[in-house]
Amino acid sequence: MDRLQSDIGQPGEETMMTISTEPAHTIDPRTFRDVMGHYPTGVVLVTGMLDQQPIGMVVGTFSSVSLEPPLVSFMPMTTSETYAKLRQAENLCINVLAHDQSSVCRTLASKDPEKFHKVDWELSDYGAPQIKGAVAHIHCRLDQEVEAGDHYISLCAVDDLQVVRSVTPLLFFQGGYGGFSTTGMAAYLDEELISAVRVAEAARPQLDRLADTHRCSAAALIQIDETAQTIGASSYGGSTEMDERIGVRIPLIPPLGEAAVAWSPQQSQRWLDQIFPQDEEVIFGYRQTLEKVRDQGYAVARIGDSDQEGYVQLSEALREYGLGELTPVREREVRRVFAESHRYFGGSIGTEETGLNIASVVVPVFDPAEQSLRNSGLVLRLGNLPQGVDAETVAHWVNDLQQAADEVRDTLGSVAQRDFTRYRATELRGGA
């Protein structure tokens, strides 16, 4: 009993058990961080006032501890200079950040001395800064502090709390901020979806490189059923802000998703079957779209200078589709918006074109287990791109994206082969 020691008293006496914190063997810090990174955590901002100045720190270790008395906790690093100041504050506020506050989170997590001037906050009745638009505010005081390795366990006595905005919270997962969708990732919390997300995460190095090189957003979209994809991984470069959440459902409904199905006869047919009503002329047009995408090797969405309003409507329809269960009436309306947005998709880029406004470029990652070109269920997408560019610039984007897709294909056939094999076995793609 080296690691577990028990002192047993006489009947009726209390039993005391102590557990050794010494590990059975040495744990590599990188391995520890990687394994723990597979568990998502909520993101909160702990704030206080010191010398009439706001201070705050972003943590992913917040937890409810006790009902009687009401206690919560968070775990700052022992070396944190911010916590050294924060612990002196008379009152604290735990701000539970919302899924759409990633930019607020990044600002307040920075070392910018003016960061509180760049976010919207107010002083609470308890004298601590509370962030506007947060999910909840928990007003508390530091009650106890326990040193635990390289962190403190800071126990706080709760004085008051309230839900401010009943929306989904901000999550931290594998080095990135995101959220979850009740009809997306939350609807598939099982081994099947986990395998899909792991496949998408195989593209992480390429996504980071693309986003940094082109100062845009880069995402890996993975198919999760016959009519939907989800964003399994994303990266943001330059000053681009997160505008989509990990796990949100994205429809595979014409005209959306042509690159995800164009190299699979069965998937292409199911995609065409989503057209309502089944108008032969419309179906023929979309068949030509799929053929064009196969010929050029990419799909592109472009916006005309006078068509911004229509694209905004499409974005709103996608958001509504991804974030909530739709009534039949609303679903028909959302699908109508999808159908009317066909003018943005299925095009090509002429070699002499200039002044192009490109919304996105998408290429497939081909199945490494197939000899011929077949959709793997995974696509890579660039978005939030610079506007008013020429054809040569777009060709450069496409080339870099295709190179990245080839690298990811190699990864799926080698170091990520186990995850991809599991994903293929789930038949989330509905067959090839």
Side-chain angles (χ1 to χ4, degrees), residues 65-76:
V65 176
S66 169
L67 288 176
E68 294 292 341
L71 295 172
V72 295
S73 73
F74 63 98
M75 290 178 275

PDB file of all heavy atoms in Angstrom, residues 65-76:
ATOM      1  N   VAL A  65     -18.342  23.985  -6.045  1.00  0.00           N
ATOM      2  CA  VAL A  65     -17.772  23.126  -5.013  1.00  0.00           C
ATOM      3  C   VAL A  65     -18.809  22.660  -4.003  1.00  0.00           C
ATOM      4  O   VAL A  65     -18.914  21.480  -3.696  1.00  0.00           O
ATOM      5  CB  VAL A  65     -16.615  23.851  -4.278  1.00  0.00           C
ATOM      6  CG1 VAL A  65     -16.085  22.998  -3.121  1.00  0.00           C
ATOM      7  CG2 VAL A  65     -15.498  24.180  -5.256  1.00  0.00           C
ATOM      8  N   SER A  66     -19.610  23.606  -3.488  1.00  0.00           N
ATOM      9  CA  SER A  66     -20.503  23.267  -2.380  1.00  0.00           C
ATOM     10  C   SER A  66     -21.784  24.097  -2.444  1.00  0.00           C
ATOM     11  O   SER A  66     -21.750  25.268  -2.841  1.00  0.00           O
ATOM     12  CB  SER A  66     -19.783  23.514  -1.051  1.00  0.00           C
ATOM     13  OG  SER A  66     -20.674  23.454   0.044  1.00  0.00           O
ATOM     14  N   LEU A  67     -22.899  23.471  -2.018  1.00  0.00           N
ATOM     15  CA  LEU A  67     -24.172  24.180  -1.897  1.00  0.00           C
ATOM     16  C   LEU A  67     -24.346  24.779  -0.511  1.00  0.00           C
ATOM     17  O   LEU A  67     -24.894  25.867  -0.355  1.00  0.00           O
ATOM     18  CB  LEU A  67     -25.334  23.236  -2.202  1.00  0.00           C
ATOM     19  CG  LEU A  67     -25.532  22.818  -3.652  1.00  0.00           C
ATOM     20  CD1 LEU A  67     -26.654  21.802  -3.764  1.00  0.00           C
ATOM     21  CD2 LEU A  67     -25.853  24.032  -4.522  1.00  0.00           C
ATOM     22  N   GLU A  68     -23.928  24.034   0.524  1.00  0.00           N
ATOM     23  CA  GLU A  68     -24.077  24.476   1.911  1.00  0.00           C
ATOM     24  C   GLU A  68     -22.740  24.370   2.626  1.00  0.00           C
ATOM     25  O   GLU A  68     -22.330  23.284   3.034  1.00  0.00           O
ATOM     26  CB  GLU A  68     -25.134  23.619   2.626  1.00  0.00           C
ATOM     27  CG  GLU A  68     -26.535  23.792   2.098  1.00  0.00           C
ATOM     28  CD  GLU A  68     -27.104  25.172   2.387  1.00  0.00           C
ATOM     29  OE1 GLU A  68     -26.558  25.856   3.287  1.00  0.00           O
ATOM     30  OE2 GLU A  68     -28.071  25.561   1.721  1.00  0.00           O
ATOM     31  N   PRO A  69     -21.993  25.456   2.754  1.00  0.00           N
ATOM     32  CA  PRO A  69     -22.269  26.805   2.241  1.00  0.00           C
ATOM     33  C   PRO A  69     -21.963  26.890   0.750  1.00  0.00           C
ATOM     34  O   PRO A  69     -21.224  26.048   0.224  1.00  0.00           O
ATOM     35  CB  PRO A  69     -21.310  27.671   3.058  1.00  0.00           C
ATOM     36  CG  PRO A  69     -20.132  26.766   3.284  1.00  0.00           C
ATOM     37  CD  PRO A  69     -20.719  25.404   3.495  1.00  0.00           C
ATOM     38  N   PRO A  70     -22.476  27.905   0.066  1.00  0.00           N
ATOM     39  CA  PRO A  70     -22.202  28.034  -1.362  1.00  0.00           C
ATOM     40  C   PRO A  70     -20.736  28.421  -1.606  1.00  0.00           C
ATOM     41  O   PRO A  70     -20.294  29.497  -1.195  1.00  0.00           O
ATOM     42  CB  PRO A  70     -23.165  29.135  -1.815  1.00  0.00           C
ATOM     43  CG  PRO A  70     -23.482  29.909  -0.583  1.00  0.00           C
ATOM     44  CD  PRO A  70     -23.421  28.943   0.550  1.00  0.00           C
ATOM     45  N   LEU A  71     -20.018  27.516  -2.261  1.00  0.00           N
ATOM     46  CA  LEU A  71     -18.610  27.730  -2.562  1.00  0.00           C
ATOM     47  C   LEU A  71     -18.321  27.405  -4.024  1.00  0.00           C
ATOM     48  O   LEU A  71     -18.915  26.470  -4.587  1.00  0.00           O
ATOM     49  CB  LEU A  71     -17.713  26.848  -1.683  1.00  0.00           C
ATOM     50  CG  LEU A  71     -17.703  27.082  -0.168  1.00  0.00           C
ATOM     51  CD1 LEU A  71     -16.899  25.986   0.519  1.00  0.00           C
ATOM     52  CD2 LEU A  71     -17.106  28.454   0.154  1.00  0.00           C
ATOM     53  N   VAL A  72     -17.441  28.162  -4.613  1.00  0.00           N
ATOM     54  CA  VAL A  72     -16.926  27.860  -5.945  1.00  0.00           C
ATOM     55  C   VAL A  72     -15.404  27.922  -5.866  1.00  0.00           C
ATOM     56  O   VAL A  72     -14.835  28.374  -4.861  1.00  0.00           O
ATOM     57  CB  VAL A  72     -17.441  28.854  -7.011  1.00  0.00           C
ATOM     58  CG1 VAL A  72     -18.943  28.748  -7.180  1.00  0.00           C
ATOM     59  CG2 VAL A  72     -17.031  30.291  -6.672  1.00  0.00           C
ATOM     60  N   SER A  73     -14.751  27.461  -6.919  1.00  0.00           N
ATOM     61  CA  SER A  73     -13.295  27.491  -6.900  1.00  0.00           C
ATOM     62  C   SER A  73     -12.736  27.767  -8.291  1.00  0.00           C
ATOM     63  O   SER A  73     -13.413  27.559  -9.301  1.00  0.00           O
ATOM     64  CB  SER A  73     -12.731  26.162  -6.385  1.00  0.00           C
ATOM     65  OG  SER A  73     -12.889  25.144  -7.359  1.00  0.00           O
ATOM     66  N   PHE A  74     -11.505  28.229  -8.323  1.00  0.00           N
ATOM     67  CA  PHE A  74     -10.722  28.267  -9.551  1.00  0.00           C
ATOM     68  C   PHE A  74      -9.274  28.019  -9.151  1.00  0.00           C
ATOM     69  O   PHE A  74      -8.914  28.095  -7.964  1.00  0.00           O
ATOM     70  CB  PHE A  74     -10.890  29.602 -10.303  1.00  0.00           C
ATOM     71  CG  PHE A  74     -10.398  30.815  -9.562  1.00  0.00           C
ATOM     72  CD1 PHE A  74      -9.133  31.348  -9.818  1.00  0.00           C
ATOM     73  CD2 PHE A  74     -11.205  31.449  -8.628  1.00  0.00           C
ATOM     74  CE1 PHE A  74      -8.681  32.476  -9.154  1.00  0.00           C
ATOM     75  CE2 PHE A  74     -10.752  32.581  -7.955  1.00  0.00           C
ATOM     76  CZ  PHE A  74      -9.492  33.097  -8.210  1.00  0.00           C
ATOM     77  N   MET A  75      -8.437  27.710 -10.139  1.00  0.00           N
ATOM     78  CA  MET A  75      -7.074  27.271  -9.825  1.00  0.00           C
ATOM     79  C   MET A  75      -6.041  28.052 -10.628  1.00  0.00           C
ATOM     80  O   MET A  75      -5.667  27.648 -11.729  1.00  0.00           O
ATOM     81  CB  MET A  75      -6.943  25.770 -10.075  1.00  0.00           C
ATOM     82  CG  MET A  75      -7.707  24.930  -9.073  1.00  0.00           C
ATOM     83  SD  MET A  75      -7.622  23.161  -9.364  1.00  0.00           S
ATOM     84  CE  MET A  75      -8.936  22.959 -10.559  1.00  0.00           C
ATOM     85  N   PRO A  76      -5.574  29.176 -10.105  1.00  0.00           N
ATOM     86  CA  PRO A  76      -4.541  29.953 -10.790  1.00  0.00           C
ATOM     87  C   PRO A  76      -3.154  29.354 -10.545  1.00  0.00           C
ATOM     88  O   PRO A  76      -2.929  28.637  -9.568  1.00  0.00           O
ATOM     89  CB  PRO A  76      -4.659  31.332 -10.129  1.00  0.00           C
ATOM     90  CG  PRO A  76      -5.107  31.005  -8.739  1.00  0.00           C
ATOM     91  CD  PRO A  76      -6.028  29.816  -8.857  1.00  0.00           C
TER      92      PRO A  76
END
